[in-house]
Amino acid sequence: MSYDIENIKSEFAEHVKTLQNLISDELKRIDTKINLNEDIWERNDHAGNPGGGGITRAFEGEIIENAGVNTSLVFGEVDPKFAANIGGDNNQMWATGISLIIHPTNPRVPTTHANFRMIQAGSKIWFGGGADLTPYFPHEEDFEYFHKVWKDACEPYGYWDDWKNRCDKYFVNKHRADEMRGVGGFFYDHFFSGDPEKDLAMFKEISSNFIKSYFPLVEKRMNEAFDDEDVDFQLHRRGRYVEFNLLHDRGTHFGLKSNGRTDSILISLPKRVKFTYRYEPTKPEHKKMMAYYYPKDWV
């Protein structure tokens, strides 16, 4: 099969920048008091040579407590052990993608995370990514809506069931009796069909559904009333979010080990978080939520 891999890489890199701009615009539209701290950064590769960089956008506002919408394009030499660990066949790597996390202020509004990336490690090429939802209040219709948007996007390609199950198994705090950090979504990694042009078109189309999947939920819930107990539950669940991101998340480890920008990688962490020894929720709605942090077919 003949294809121009450099053009495919360039097109995917431009696509994630377009997504970054569209999602940034939505955050500004929904939260008119939001502040943006944009950081355009560069990195060196393992040998000390220029190795690309990225655009980090850190948001803080009234409706959106904190969010990060980041793109990066990195390349060059990596540590041979790291190259072998990610499945490369030499110590050269190229990677681009978008990674985002949105932590709203109101605990009636769920947190969300998504990323879409393309990687070339030596001669091997693959795509990875997905999106998931972390709610703090039992609005089942919201969970169903989020999953339906992504199912409608993925199912025509025949991967929804597999990617949904992968998500349920990946975003899990295994050290807490396999409790999920949220209610799932979809997740894929090391995906390559053998036809990168076909894969590029598929992932451009799928990833373009993010705004539709999430922002209607923000607008639906952002003005709902909440109390101190709701905030307390939200902050404790954010603690579980932090545990996953620091202990288990491969994207966090990938970024740090590939000499990425540390603050850009850790922007996924919430602004406020809480830990209490052997915490147990007391409000009925929060107790109900605890049963949802395990795999379930929402659509």
Side-chain angles (χ1 to χ4, degrees):
M1 180 178 296
S2 176
Y3 50 80
D4 188 335
I5 192 61
E6 295 305 318
N7 279 346
I8 291 169
K9 288 158 61 175
S10 177
E11 187 173 341
F12 192 83
E14 287 303 312
H15 172 66
V16 297
K17 286 183 179 179
T18 299
L19 277 181
Q20 182 182 40
N21 291 333
L22 291 172
I23 294 165
S24 297
D25 289 344
E26 281 294 294
L27 290 169
K28 295 173 187 176
R29 180 185 67 81
I30 283 178
D31 191 338
T32 58
K33 296 183 179 180
I34 205 163
N35 293 312
L36 166 62
N37 181 4
E38 182 175 82
D39 181 18
I40 300 174
W41 53 273
E42 297 178 349
R43 69 181 278 278
N44 291 328
D45 70 5
H46 185 65
N49 299 312
I55 304 171
T56 295
R57 291 180 180 167
F59 295 88
E60 289 190 12
E62 190 173 86
I63 294 166
I64 304 301
E65 185 164 310
N66 70 292
V69 184
N70 305 337
T71 55
S72 62
L73 195 165
V74 301
F75 53 83
E77 185 176 321
V78 295
D79 183 281
K81 291 182 180 178
F82 175 65
N85 187 52
I86 65 171
D89 53 14
N90 64 38
N91 65 348
Q92 294 296 309
M93 182 197 72
W94 178 97
T96 192
I98 180 171
S99 179
L100 66 100
I101 179 73
I102 302 173
H103 292 291
T105 302
N106 189 330
R108 298 294 187 102
V109 185
T111 286
T112 193
H113 154 265
N115 74 85
F116 301 97
R117 59 191 179 274
M118 179 181 180
I119 296 174
Q120 182 178 28
S123 64
K124 297 183 178 181
I125 301 164
W126 67 85
F127 295 82
D132 63 288
L133 196 70
T134 300
Y136 312 103
F137 212 82
H139 297 302
E140 293 188 16
E141 65 270 30
D142 294 359
F143 315 160
E144 292 167 358
Y145 171 83
F146 182 83
H147 281 79
K148 186 177 188 307
V149 170
W150 289 114
K151 181 178 181 179
D152 288 348
C154 299
E155 196 166 44
Y157 299 101
Y159 296 112
W160 167 253
D161 289 339
D162 179 34
W163 291 352
K164 192 270 185 192
N165 290 333
R166 286 174 183 263
C167 187
D168 289 343
K169 293 177 181 177
Y170 178 70
F171 293 103
V172 171
N173 274 321
K174 299 184 184 300
H175 61 287
R176 291 194 179 275
D178 290 338
E179 177 189 275
M180 294 167 60
R181 76 176 187 186
V183 296
F186 75 108
F187 175 75
Y188 58 94
D189 202 7
H190 284 82
F191 181 94
F192 183 60
S193 70
D195 183 346
E197 290 182 342
K198 179 180 176 181
D199 296 346
L200 171 69
M202 177 173 70
F203 290 121
K204 284 179 64 177
E205 193 284 323
I206 289 174
S207 59
S208 295
N209 284 272
F210 176 78
I211 289 174
K212 178 183 177 182
S213 77
Y214 180 65
F215 285 104
L217 300 180
V218 179
E219 293 184 282
K220 181 180 180 182
R221 304 293 180 187
M222 65 188 191
N223 294 317
E224 291 187 355
F226 59 90
D227 59 29
D228 290 343
E229 277 191 90
D230 295 329
V231 174
D232 187 66
F233 181 72
Q234 176 197 45
L235 298 186
H236 277 93
R237 290 308 307 178
R238 285 181 176 179
R240 300 293 176 89
Y241 205 99
V242 170
E243 289 178 23
F244 175 84
N245 282 28
L246 296 183
L247 293 175
H248 305 300
D249 187 62
R250 295 202 295 264
T252 300
H253 297 166
F254 178 91
L256 294 173
K257 291 179 180 179
S258 62
N259 198 31
R261 174 66 65 88
T262 299
D263 275 8
S264 298
I265 297 161
L266 298 182
I267 204 171
S268 64
L269 303 181
K271 185 176 180 180
R272 294 181 299 151
V273 69
K274 192 170 183 180
F275 174 83
T276 301
Y277 181 70
R278 302 198 72 180
Y279 167 76
E280 293 288 343
T282 57
K283 196 172 183 177
E285 292 91 337
H286 304 153
K287 289 183 176 181
K288 186 176 182 180
M289 273 306 307
M290 296 303 294
Y292 292 150
Y293 298 131
Y294 294 92
K296 178 178 173 63
D297 291 329
W298 290 104
V299 289

